[in-house]
């Protein structure tokens, strides 16, 4: 699943700097606003400016649905990317790991507004990320934008919303097309389960409604591949026990209205009409055993042809594949990231 507890110890002895940036009178695309929108973030390394004062080493890493910037601090990600001599060496790069609207320690419905919280979309989340960088951290240029799953979709939107802001783009586990088909169906199952749950009470509940468990079970189903799940759960008894244990572990980390909002947020995602407007080199990495972005649809193969300077990699199924969650196994795709950095270096 994309749910990841903050790492108890970050690999390589790295010590993230955490902070909050408050966006005053934030305007959502819906027309709603908040007097103060809090965006939490973590950074590694220090920004470095060129002779003109432009930051040249900043890297924006965007997290998955229901995750946070903390998900990138474990050994399978930070341990492969952020250490000395690794592709995103924190001694050389300024790495920014924000929590998206509604996620992590950023402003969320569960902070108090519940169902009165503005219904945010992916475009709102990307706009807030941009303001965090420019107004909050003084970053006026990015060496790289990359992200996993929802963060990969945000990477596609960054490519179109701010086409001259970055040197390179690496969306992982995402497709540059409107949410539809099975990808929409599993999201609707979660949305309907929560909104139609009498215990949800329109967001006015004292304890988490049963539909939150259903939502987490659906996410668990979609995140891995069939082979790995069967290896973990070769009998009926082990399957039930494994599912229960996995959901019990993440239930305390979530709130039903938060989960409803973050699933609904994908409704405005549709980079398809503007793919030809992307300017920075882009490498899309997807996975052959990904249930959420099934390769047999050949969407990425078709759409990448419309992206100037766009390339794609479809990693094969292998012993270290995890389905959709291969996005968090950096060892599988690190070499492709390094190649992208090499070909876009000054």
């Amino acid at each position: 699943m994309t749910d990841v507890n903050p790492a108890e110890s970050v690999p390589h002895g790295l010590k993230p700097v955490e902070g909050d940036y408050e966006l005053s009178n934030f305007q959502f695309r819906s027309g709603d606003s908040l007097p103060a929108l809090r965006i939490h973030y973590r950074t590694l390394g220090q920004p470095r400016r060129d002779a003109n004062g432009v930051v040249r080493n900043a890297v924006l890493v965007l997290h998955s649905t229901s995750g946070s910037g903390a998900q990138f601090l474990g050994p399978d990600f930070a341990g492969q990317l952020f250490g000395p001599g690794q592709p995103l060496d924190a001694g050389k790069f300024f790495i920014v790991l924000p929590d998206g609207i509604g996620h992590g320690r950023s402003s969320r419905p569960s902070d108090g507004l519940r169902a009165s919280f503005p219904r945010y979309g992916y475009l709102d989340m990307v706009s807030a990320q941009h303001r965090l960088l420019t107004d909050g951290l003084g970053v006026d240029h990015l060496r790289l934008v990359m992200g996993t799953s929802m963060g990969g979709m945000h990477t596609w939107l960054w490519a179109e919303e701010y086409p001259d802001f970055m040197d390179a783009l690496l969306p992982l586990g995402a497709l540059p097309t409107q949410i539809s088909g099975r990808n929409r169906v599993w999201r609707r199952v979660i949305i309907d389960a929560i909104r139609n749950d009498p215990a949800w009470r329109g967001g006015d509940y004292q304890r988490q409604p049963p539909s939150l468990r259903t939502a987490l079970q659906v996410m668990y189903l979609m995140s891995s591949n069939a082979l790995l799940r069967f290896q973990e759960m070769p009998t009926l008894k082990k399957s039930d026990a494994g599912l229960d244990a996995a959901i019990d572990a993440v239930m305390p980390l979530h709130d039903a209205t938060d989960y409803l909002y973050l699933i609904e947020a994908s409704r405005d995602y549709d980079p398809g009409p503007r793919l030809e407007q992307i300017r920075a080199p882009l490498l899309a990495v997807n996975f052959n055993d990904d249930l959420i972005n099934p390769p047999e649809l050949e969407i990425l193969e078709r759409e990448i042809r419309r992206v100037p300077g766009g390339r794609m990699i479809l990693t094969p199924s292998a012993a270290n594949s995890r389905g959709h969650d291969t996005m968090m196994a950096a060892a599988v795709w690190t070499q492709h990231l390094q190649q992208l950095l090499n070909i876009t270096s000054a």
Side-chain angles (χ1 to χ4, degrees), residues 72-154:
F72 299 120
L73 299 178
D76 289 349
F77 203 94
Q80 297 289 327
L81 296 179
F82 300 158
Q86 293 180 335
L88 298 177
D89 184 340
K92 300 177 180 178
F93 291 95
F94 180 52
I95 302 164
V96 182
L97 311 172
D99 292 353
I101 298 173
H103 291 70
R105 298 179 192 173
S106 292
S107 294
R108 302 178 297 176
S110 61
D111 290 342
L113 290 177
R114 291 283 183 90
S116 296
F117 193 89
R119 291 184 67 205
Y120 61 87
Y122 281 6
L123 290 169
D124 296 315
M125 300 174 81
V126 167
S127 177
Q129 293 157 7
H130 182 260
R131 285 187 58 184
L132 165 67
L133 290 173
T134 56
D135 300 341
L137 299 175
V139 173
D140 47 10
H141 185 81
L142 289 167
R143 176 68 180 86
L144 173 72
V145 181
M146 64 179 292
T148 59
S149 191
M150 178 184 74
M153 290 188 275
H154 288 181

Side-chain angles (χ1 to χ4, degrees), residues 2 63-65 147-154 172-174 292 324 327:
T2 54
H63 63 75
S64 313
T65 300
T148 59
S149 191
M150 178 184 74
M153 290 188 275
H154 288 181
L172 294 147
I292 291 179
H324 189 61
M327 62 194 178

Side-chain angles (χ1 to χ4, degrees), residues 232-289:
E232 295 170 342
M233 309 171 173
T235 67
L236 185 149
K237 184 176 181 180
K238 289 185 176 179
S239 298
D240 285 347
L243 175 62
D244 290 341
I247 304 306
D248 288 344
V250 298
M251 275 285 289
L253 305 176
H254 292 289
D255 171 86
T257 305
D258 287 346
Y259 219 85
L260 171 66
Y261 270 60
L262 61 86
I263 293 295
E264 286 187 329
S266 64
R267 67 187 176 278
D268 68 348
Y269 177 69
D270 189 12
R274 295 190 290 168
L275 292 178
E276 287 84 359
Q277 298 175 24
I278 295 175
R279 297 190 184 122
L282 181 149
L283 175 62
V285 178
N286 277 20
F287 316 110
N288 192 56
D289 54 354

Side-chain angles (χ1 to χ4, degrees), residues 1 6 8 19 41 104 124 138 144 151 201 203 262 277 299 302 320:
M1 300 176 70
E8 295 181 0
Y41 63 89
D124 296 315
L144 173 72
R201 299 176 60 188
L262 61 86
Q277 298 175 24
I299 291 173
R302 181 185 71 238
N320 55 356

Side-chain angles (χ1 to χ4, degrees), residues 10-21:
V10 182
H12 309 298
L14 298 171
K15 296 181 179 180
V17 175
E18 297 196 42
D20 294 300
Y21 182 65

